[in-house]
Amino acid sequence: MVHAYILIQTEVGKATAVAQSISKIEGVLTAEDVTGPYDVIVRAAADTMDNLGRMVVAQVQQVEGITRTLTCPVVNL
């Protein structure tokens, strides 16, 4: 299982709507509004890194109001 944090920048005033939409995507564990350089932080899980990438590109990035994403896979050292 691969886990990742997805840091999201949104259009002004869209963070709550984006977080609500993303929270409905299969594999998303949490989606929360935050303050700072990013507007929403998502914790997601997928079976493989490829499936995680597909989720981000095909589903997360398609949510209206998102301007940029940064995916940070969790590593277990």
Side-chain angles (χ1 to χ4, degrees):
M1 183 69 64
V2 177
H3 290 261
Y5 289 95
I6 306 167
L7 311 178
I8 299 173
Q9 292 177 336
T10 69
E11 296 171 7
V12 174
K14 299 281 186 165
T16 300
V18 166
Q20 290 173 347
S21 293
I22 289 175
S23 68
K24 298 173 186 170
I25 296 172
E26 185 177 343
V28 170
L29 305 175
T30 61
E32 300 179 301
D33 299 25
V34 296
T35 61
Y38 294 94
D39 303 305
V40 176
I41 296 181
V42 173
R43 174 135 176 147
D47 291 336
T48 66
M49 188 64 79
D50 286 341
N51 287 343
L52 178 68
R54 285 186 196 96
M55 178 198 327
V56 172
V57 172
Q59 296 178 49
V60 173
Q61 290 180 346
Q62 301 306 312
V63 172
E64 185 177 339
I66 292 178
T67 58
R68 177 175 290 171
T69 65
L70 174 65
T71 302
C72 304
V74 173
V75 295
N76 299 304
L77 302 175

